[in-house]
Amino acid sequence: MASHRHSGPSSYKVGTMAEKFDCHYCRDPLQGKKYVQKDGHHCCLKCFDKFCANTCVECRKPIGADSKEVHYKNRFWHDTCFRCAKCLHPLANETFVAKDNKILCNKCTTREDSPKCKGCFKAIVAGFGKGSSVVAYEGQSWHDYCFHCKKCSVNLANKRFVFHQEQVYCPDCAKKL
């Protein structure tokens, strides 16, 4: 897993043709029209999309000469298609993390890598959610608001408790077991 900033490649030029050139592919005249110069050849925008443009891995459409392109590890996206795989937050201008062949925002990466609460099974992320503290015992973790007696449901955060057969009990309920 690594954190990255990114930018698209600039391997072609876009402009308006002032000279008498024809499109390398369809041979249409380019004078006075917008064109693309790539690998020493001039082509119209239509032929660029058809023969030269990279294909977006997200939407599978060509990334046109007028589009902003994001490039990462020989894969290409429209800047609007480059989003977090979990929350779909746009990432074209942000730091991201590549993990398990997925692109994730920092917030989702933190949640994915966080321990899971034994009570609600959701990620325990510092600074997120109702509670800000965590109860940890015997290698297990709970949100402070999820740490309650298995039998009577009284919250046991910052209170005495009994841990019996992987479950948490208040002292009164533990006596009745």
Side-chain angles (χ1 to χ4, degrees):
M1 176 174 59
S3 183
H4 302 278
R5 296 287 292 165
H6 44 77
S7 63
S10 55
S11 59
Y12 57 87
K13 295 180 195 173
V14 179
T16 302
M17 183 60 70
E19 301 171 40
K20 285 192 166 200
F21 278 103
D22 293 336
C23 174
H24 177 74
Y25 298 99
C26 69
R27 300 293 178 209
D28 282 351
L30 294 173
Q31 190 170 14
K33 296 179 184 175
K34 208 168 192 184
Y35 77 101
V36 178
Q37 181 179 349
K38 182 175 167 95
D39 300 329
H41 301 291
H42 302 92
C43 64
C44 65
L45 297 182
K46 186 177 177 181
C47 287
F48 177 83
D49 287 353
K50 188 173 182 179
F51 300 112
C52 303
N54 293 312
T55 302
C56 177
V57 297
E58 181 67 25
C59 71
R60 306 276 186 233
K61 293 181 182 172
I63 303 170
D66 291 332
S67 299
K68 291 184 181 177
E69 181 178 81
V70 175
H71 171 252
Y72 176 69
K73 287 197 172 183
N74 293 324
R75 295 168 62 197
F76 302 89
W77 292 262
H78 292 99
D79 64 333
T80 54
C81 292
F82 192 72
R83 300 177 297 215
C84 174
K86 292 271 184 187
C87 71
L88 303 180
H89 178 76
L91 296 174
N93 297 313
E94 296 189 25
T95 302
F96 65 92
V97 176
K99 182 179 178 193
D100 300 329
N101 210 23
K102 289 189 267 180
I103 304 297
L104 300 170
C105 67
N106 288 332
K107 190 174 180 181
C108 287
T109 300
T110 302
R111 286 189 178 167
E112 193 168 280
D113 292 340
S114 297
K116 305 293 183 247
C117 174
K118 179 93 164 109
C120 70
F121 306 106
K122 293 182 181 173
I124 298 174
V125 182
F128 295 104
K130 294 187 266 183
S132 59
S133 61
V134 176
V135 177
Y137 185 75
E138 297 276 321
Q140 298 178 37
S141 302
W142 293 261
H143 295 105
D144 58 353
Y145 53 87
C146 293
F147 191 68
H148 52 78
C149 176
K150 174 74 175 168
K151 192 143 179 95
C152 72
S153 298
V154 68
N155 189 288
L156 297 172
N158 300 317
K159 295 180 183 166
R160 290 182 42 158
F161 64 91
V162 175
F163 195 70
H164 178 68
Q165 295 181 347
E166 302 287 316
Q167 299 296 326
V168 180
Y169 297 93
C170 69
D172 291 337
C173 290
K175 288 178 191 174
K176 298 174 188 174
L177 288 176

